[in-house]
Amino acid sequence: MSIGILTSGGDCPGLNAVIRGAVLKGITQNDLEFVGFRNGWKGVVDGDTVPLGRPQVMGISKQGGTIIGTSRTNPFEGDGGPENIAAMMEEQGIDSLIAIGGEGTLAAAKRLTDAGIKIVGVPKTVDNDLSATDYTFGFDTAVQIATEAMDRLRTTGDSHGRCMVAEVMGRHVGWIALHSGMAAGAHAILIPERKTSMEEITDWVRAAADRGRAPLIVVAEGFKLDTMDDAHSERGLDAFGRPRLGGIGDMLAPEIEARTGIETRATTLGHIQRGGTPSAYDRVLATRYGMAAVDAVLEQRWGRMVALRGTQIVHVPFEDALGRLKTVPQSRYDEAAVLFG
C-alpha cells in the first residue's frame, strides 16, 4: 500500500512531526510506502511527489515548517477535481491520502472523499479553533512564543513606565490571546468573541498604572471595539478574498495614550508565532496524530479526522470539524477577567 501525505494551508510548528510519526509507524509496523505531495493540494493536482522514507524523515520532528511545502491551492480549480486526482493516484499507484490542515483543507478533503477519494485528515491550526478536537498542534508553540515576547515587552514597559500593546494571531477566536495573556500576567485581554469599549480598556490601563504597574494589553488580530462592525484591516484581501487582518494594536495604542496620558507602544507578533522549533507538547501531539492517521488508513476510516479528546486520540467525521468554530466560552473569558486591571 502506498499513502500520499500533504500539508496544506498556513504552516505551523509540528507538521514535520506528523509526517515523521506517520512514516515511521507505517514503515516499521505495517511495511507501507509513502510519498509526499509538494506544496499541498497544488502537488496533488499536479501529481508532484517526493519519496518519504526513513532517510527523509530522520530528525525532522524538531524542525518548524514542513519539509514538503504548503500552499493555499483549491484542489477543485484548474486541472483539479476528483476525477483528475483519482486518475493521478491510480497512475502513481497511490491508494489513499493523509491530508494535514485546517478547516479549508479538511473541507476540500470532505468534498473529495464524498466523490470517492480515500482520505484521512489530521487537524492543524495555530488558532486552536477547529471543532471536534480539544487541541491542535502548533497552538502550544504559538502561545509559548507569544508569552516569551510579552515577558520581554513587560521589562521594557517597566523601564519606561509605558503601556505595551501586544497583538497576536486570532482571526475569529481568541485562544492564543487568552492563554498567552494569562501566562504573561496581562492587565487586559481583548478577543474576537467579546466586543469591548475604549472606556473599559482605558479603565483597566489606569487601574494597573495607579498600582505602579506598566500596563500590558493583549489583543487578538480579529478583535472589534463595540463601535466596530468588522475587524480592523488595512492590508487588502488574501487569496480567498478575505481581509488580511493586522494592525488593531497600532490602532488602539494612540487612542489609549490620548485618553490616559500614558505613553503607549504596540507590537504585532505576526508570523513569528508560526515559525521555529515546536514545543515538546506539540511534537508529542503531532507524532501521535501521525501514527493515529496511519491506523485510520489501515482501518479504512475514510472521511474521518484524528482528534484529541482528553488524553486519547479518537476518530471523528470531517463534518464534525467543519462549519462551527471552537470559540472561547464566556466562562473562560470571565475567569481571565478576574485578573484584569
Side-chain angles (χ1 to χ4, degrees):
M1 181 183 293
S2 180
I3 302 171
I5 299 179
L6 65 119
T7 54
S8 180
D11 69 303
C12 78
L15 286 167
N16 287 324
V18 178
I19 296 169
R20 176 178 175 271
V23 170
L24 289 185
K25 178 161 189 177
I27 289 176
T28 60
Q29 300 294 311
N30 306 103
D31 198 29
L32 303 177
E33 295 180 355
F34 293 86
V35 296
F37 286 98
R38 286 192 178 98
N39 302 318
W41 290 119
K42 184 178 188 303
V44 176
V45 172
D46 296 341
D48 186 5
T49 63
V50 293
L52 287 177
R54 297 199 71 162
Q56 286 78 31
V57 302
M58 184 171 55
I60 66 171
S61 63
K62 62 180 178 295
Q63 298 176 18
T66 166
I67 62 168
I68 53 178
T70 186
S71 70
R72 299 186 185 275
T73 301
N74 185 337
F76 291 89
E77 294 180 349
D79 296 328
E83 292 184 359
N84 290 337
I85 290 174
M88 176 278 299
M89 291 174 63
E90 182 176 2
E91 180 182 339
Q92 297 204 22
I94 299 169
D95 302 280
S96 57
L97 304 176
I98 295 176
I100 310 168
E103 187 176 25
T105 301
L106 297 178
K110 182 184 184 307
R111 287 181 62 189
L112 290 170
T113 301
D114 291 343
I117 308 296
K118 298 175 180 178
I119 305 178
V120 167
V122 176
K124 178 267 332 169
T125 166
V126 292
D127 287 340
N128 198 40
D129 61 359
L130 270 180
S131 296
T133 184
D134 290 348
Y135 283 99
T136 52
F137 64 88
F139 171 68
D140 184 73
T141 303
V143 169
Q144 184 62 43
I145 291 169
T147 301
E148 182 180 347
M150 291 172 204
D151 289 344
R152 295 174 183 273
L153 288 175
R154 293 199 71 166
T155 62
T156 186
D158 288 340
S159 297
H160 293 269
R162 290 171 175 160
C163 172
M164 307 301 289
V165 179
E167 180 182 322
V168 299
M169 285 183 170
R171 171 179 287 270
H172 300 295
V173 304
W175 288 110
I176 293 177
L178 183 78
H179 280 235
S180 60
M182 288 187 72
H187 299 102
I189 300 171
L190 311 177
I191 62 175
E193 293 88 337
R194 185 183 186 276
K195 285 189 174 184
T196 308
S197 68
M198 278 304 307
E199 289 74 19
E200 195 170 13
I201 295 169
T202 53
D203 283 347
W204 287 324
V205 170
R206 289 193 188 97
D210 289 345
R211 291 185 292 107
R213 307 305 303 275
L216 171 66
I217 309 298
V218 180
V219 57
E221 62 186 356
F223 166 75
K224 298 183 287 290
L225 287 167
D226 61 354
T227 56
M228 299 168 60
D229 294 325
D230 300 304
H232 181 73
S233 173
E234 54 189 25
R235 303 172 183 175
L237 304 178
D238 65 15
F240 294 94
R242 302 176 305 180
R244 294 183 187 275
L245 301 187
I248 183 65
D250 289 321
M251 190 190 86
L252 292 175
E255 188 67 22
I256 292 171
E257 182 168 335
R259 288 172 178 250
T260 65
I262 300 169
E263 189 177 6
T264 305
R265 295 288 184 271
T267 298
T268 301
L269 301 185
H271 288 80
I272 289 174
Q273 297 159 89
R274 279 211 318 228
T277 302
S279 67
Y281 179 88
D282 278 341
R283 296 185 207 186
V284 173
L285 178 60
T287 300
R288 294 182 70 199
Y289 276 159
M291 296 169 72
V294 170
D295 291 338
V297 168
L298 294 172
E299 295 163 8
Q300 300 185 26
R301 295 176 180 264
W302 315 125
R304 299 180 73 85
M305 177 189 85
V306 296
L308 183 69
R309 294 280 176 82
T311 59
Q312 300 299 312
I313 303 294
V314 298
H315 304 89
V316 299
F318 281 153
E319 51 264 30
D320 286 3
L322 303 172
R324 181 174 60 87
L325 291 173
K326 184 179 67 183
T327 57
V328 175
Q330 185 65 41
S331 60
R332 287 296 306 273
Y333 185 81
D334 292 342
E335 183 181 70
V338 172
L339 308 173
F340 292 177

